[in-house]
């Protein structure tokens, strides 16, 4: 029942109440709202046979995450749950993370392309430390920062089941990746097999640290994209500017801010042009989650005439040219 734009979950819920033998249910891309999340959570939790549920690409937000909490924490049948490509953030993301911590049966959960940040990231670290069944956790492209990533890596010391952590395309620095590898070297046993930081570009120097960990834990894999100092080796599928603008535009949409308002906040003298430092400070003040590399590459791409300033027209054209 995926990609049907159903919009309202009443009929779906009624069908699930009567069909007690179905085990795999796909409800992706149906424009379900937070209200629908409450209804679906009740019937999924009570269902005696469902083991795999796909609720990806809907419109569940913070409230939706709160509605889903009990279903996730209490369900003993669910083995795999897909909540990717929703808008779960804030207290809803915290609720989902706490539910994962308390669940006693789920093995795979997809949370990519939501809004898990530092606060909910700390709760996810608690979940990794305490959950005893999860084997794969996908956090690709959220708002996980270096601090949250390191907290999750610290929690791996107490986890005997997690095999794969997909956490690429987040705001994780090379320094944090190196610190995580140093941390993993100290663990006498390491059950996790793969930490996937795909689409994060680090220098070739990190390869030596990965090698050191693999000498101790030979089955461990650490995946990342990188360039060396000569620019000969690059992650071909990765565009730093595209990703930076994706985060930028996502923030603008979520906070109902248009480009004019954003630019005016930085443009103190009304010249419709800002310096590199003013642009950096504007991104920082608005807490748009970009790494230093992303900011530098974004500035270089936007300053099309190379005059050392970013004018409003350049910002508009850049946003359009790199639109997904």
């Amino acid at each position: 029942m995926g990609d049907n734009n159903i919009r309202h979950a009443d009929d779906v819920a009624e069908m699930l109440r009567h069909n007690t033998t179905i085990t795999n249910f796909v409800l992706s891309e149906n424009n379900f709202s937070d209200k629908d999340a409450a209804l679906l959570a009740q019937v999924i939790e009570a269902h005696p046979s469902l083991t795999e549920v796909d609720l990806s690409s809907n419109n569940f937000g913070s409230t939706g995450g709160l509605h889903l909490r009990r279903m996730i924490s209490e369900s003993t049948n669910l083995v795999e749950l897909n909540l990717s490509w929703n808008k779960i953030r804030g207290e809803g993301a915290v609720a989902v993370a706490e539910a994962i911590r308390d669940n006693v049966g789920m093995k795979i959960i997809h949370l990519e392309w939501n809004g898990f940040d530092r606060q909910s990231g700390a709760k996810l670290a608690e979940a990794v430390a305490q959950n005893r069944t999860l084997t794969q956790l996908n956090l690709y492209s959220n708002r996980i920062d270096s601090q949250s990533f390191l907290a999750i890596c610290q929690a791996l010391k107490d986890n005997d089941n997690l095999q794969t952590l997909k956490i690429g395309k987040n705001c994780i620095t090379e320094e944090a990746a190196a610190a995580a590898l140093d941390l993993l070297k100290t663990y006498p046993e390491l059950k996790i097999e793969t930490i996937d930081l795909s689409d994060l570009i680090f220098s070739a120097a990190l390869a030596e640290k990965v090698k050191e960990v693999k000498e101790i834990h030979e089955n461990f894999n650490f995946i990342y994209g990188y360039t060396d100092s000569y620019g000969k080796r690059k992650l071909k599928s990765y565009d730093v500017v595209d990703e930076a603008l994706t985060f930028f535009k996502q923030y603008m949409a979520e906070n109902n801010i248009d480009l004019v308002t954003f630019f005016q906040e930085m443009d103190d003298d009304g010249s419709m042009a800002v310096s590199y430092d003013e642009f950096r400070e504007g991104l920082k003040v608005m807490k748009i989650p970009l790494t230093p590399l992303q900011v530098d590459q974004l500035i270089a791409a936007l300053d099309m005439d190379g005059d050392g300033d970013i004018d409003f027209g350049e910002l508009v054209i850049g946003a359009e040219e790199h639109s997904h």
Side-chain angles (χ1 to χ4, degrees):
M1 297 183 72
D3 195 16
N4 279 303
N5 200 25
I6 295 173
R7 293 183 179 272
H8 302 294
D10 304 72
D11 292 338
V12 175
E14 189 64 22
M15 185 271 287
L16 277 176
R17 290 190 184 99
H18 288 89
N19 187 336
T20 59
T21 60
I22 188 170
T23 59
N24 187 332
F25 205 39
V26 178
L27 288 169
S28 60
E29 298 187 74
N30 279 301
N31 275 315
F32 287 142
S33 65
D34 288 339
K35 182 180 178 180
D36 295 317
L39 183 59
L40 291 170
Q42 290 177 2
V43 293
I44 291 171
E45 180 190 343
H47 199 278
S49 303
L50 278 175
T51 58
E52 298 180 25
V53 174
D54 185 348
L55 295 170
S56 64
S57 300
N58 283 294
N59 288 316
F60 302 149
S62 180
T63 303
L66 292 171
H67 290 320
L68 294 168
R69 176 176 182 166
R70 179 181 167 87
M71 179 199 80
I72 297 170
S73 62
E74 298 296 327
S75 175
T76 56
N77 294 321
L78 276 183
V79 174
E80 181 171 355
L81 176 64
N82 192 339
L83 291 173
S84 64
W85 289 92
N86 277 285
K87 301 173 183 178
I88 302 171
R89 58 182 62 88
E91 59 182 357
V94 169
V96 169
E98 291 176 339
I100 296 170
R101 177 196 63 199
D102 298 336
N103 180 273
V104 295
M106 202 174 302
K107 293 185 179 296
I108 301 172
I109 186 159
H110 299 269
L111 298 173
E112 58 268 41
W113 293 97
N114 278 287
F116 287 78
D117 56 13
R118 178 173 292 185
Q119 183 181 12
S120 45
K123 292 297 181 180
L124 285 169
E126 291 180 11
V128 170
Q130 297 180 41
N131 183 284
R132 291 293 175 263
T133 59
L134 204 62
T135 60
Q136 181 176 317
L137 177 60
N138 194 331
L139 297 170
Y140 188 81
S141 195
N142 275 274
R143 299 172 183 172
I144 303 294
D145 63 6
S146 295
Q147 180 176 318
S148 300
F149 172 61
L150 285 171
I152 291 171
C153 288
Q154 286 177 320
L156 291 173
K157 184 177 182 180
D158 300 315
N159 188 294
D160 294 330
N161 293 283
L162 191 64
Q163 298 171 3
T164 303
L165 173 64
K166 296 185 177 183
I167 198 166
K169 216 160 190 174
N170 280 288
C171 194
I172 299 168
T173 65
E174 181 167 346
E175 291 76 13
L181 290 166
D182 287 338
L183 186 65
L184 297 177
K185 283 192 301 182
T186 67
Y187 297 164
E189 291 187 66
L190 190 62
K191 298 297 183 180
I192 195 163
E193 297 174 358
T194 301
I195 294 179
D196 188 343
L197 290 168
S198 295
D199 285 338
L200 288 178
I201 295 182
F202 302 134
S203 71
L206 200 68
E208 186 59 35
K209 286 191 175 290
V210 175
K211 182 180 177 181
E212 291 171 1
V213 178
K214 288 182 69 68
E215 287 174 354
I216 301 170
H217 307 292
E218 60 181 15
N219 294 322
F220 176 69
N221 294 296
F222 194 80
I223 301 171
Y224 62 99
Y226 59 91
T227 59
D228 65 19
S229 58
Y230 299 99
K232 295 178 181 177
R233 306 174 74 180
K234 298 182 179 180
L235 186 68
K236 294 181 181 179
S237 65
Y238 180 79
D239 190 315
V240 178
V241 178
D242 274 353
E243 181 181 71
L245 279 167
T246 295
F247 281 125
F248 174 74
K249 290 187 283 187
Q250 184 181 49
Y251 174 91
M252 303 278 283
E254 290 170 358
N255 292 276
N256 296 316
I257 299 173
D258 56 33
L259 285 176
V260 174
T261 303
F262 170 77
F263 205 86
Q264 287 176 339
E265 288 293 320
M266 299 183 293
D267 185 20
D268 292 334
D269 60 6
S271 64
M272 297 303 285
V274 295
S275 68
Y276 291 176
D277 287 342
E278 287 174 326
F279 190 77
R280 284 193 181 92
E281 184 62 23
L283 295 173
K284 182 178 179 181
V285 167
M286 291 198 172
K287 297 181 179 179
I288 299 175
L290 301 180
T291 67
L293 172 65
Q294 289 171 326
V295 174
D296 290 344
Q297 294 283 340
L298 180 58
I299 287 172
L302 291 177
D303 185 14
M304 298 174 188
D305 59 9
D307 66 352
D309 289 328
I310 298 170
D311 63 46
F312 180 69
E314 289 173 329
L315 180 61
V316 172
I317 293 170
E320 291 178 352
E321 285 184 349
H322 291 270
S323 176
H324 292 289

